Amino acid sequence: AFEDVCREFVREMQKKNELPFRYAKIGRWTGKTTVRDDSAASGLRIAETEINLLCVDRDAKKYLVGECKFKKHRSLIQNTLIR
């Protein structure tokens, strides 16, 4: 799927030393998070969250977090991943 393409793109960026740090692990994450919700009584609610691309350095102090979206223009995809 397109998420695999994004992961491979980030792997290639690491090989070229184009990332802000060297990651030790790459993958994805799904779980529950607390989000703000003005319609909830407490102003917060629990929601399912999906992170398409997650890179973590060896010390687990630096993270690269990304969402993979397909666009028609390649330059838009590159700019999104690089930021």
Side-chain angles (χ1 to χ4, degrees):
F2 187 64
E3 290 176 15
D4 297 326
V5 173
C6 294
R7 275 191 293 277
E8 186 58 33
F9 183 80
V10 171
R11 282 187 191 105
E12 290 299 318
M13 288 181 72
Q14 172 142 300
K15 288 179 187 176
K16 297 175 184 175
N17 292 317
E18 294 177 342
L19 295 175
F21 64 90
R22 296 201 54 84
Y23 65 82
K25 294 182 182 180
I26 185 171
R28 55 181 289 140
W29 182 84
T30 303
K32 295 182 189 248
T33 57
T34 304
V35 296
R36 290 188 177 123
D37 185 347
D38 293 334
S39 64
S42 67
L44 302 171
R45 67 177 170 83
I46 303 297
E48 281 292 322
T49 303
E50 177 184 7
I51 297 174
N52 301 131
L53 182 68
L54 178 63
C55 300
V56 183
D57 77 336
R58 178 166 276 122
D59 299 323
K61 293 183 179 179
K62 296 179 183 176
Y63 298 87
L64 177 69
V65 179
E67 182 171 299
C68 303
K69 298 268 186 196
F70 182 79
K71 302 284 184 182
K72 289 184 180 183
H73 302 287
R74 183 172 181 256
S75 62
L76 292 176
I77 296 166
Q78 275 186 317
N79 289 338
T80 302
L81 288 173
I82 292 170
R83 288 186 187 166

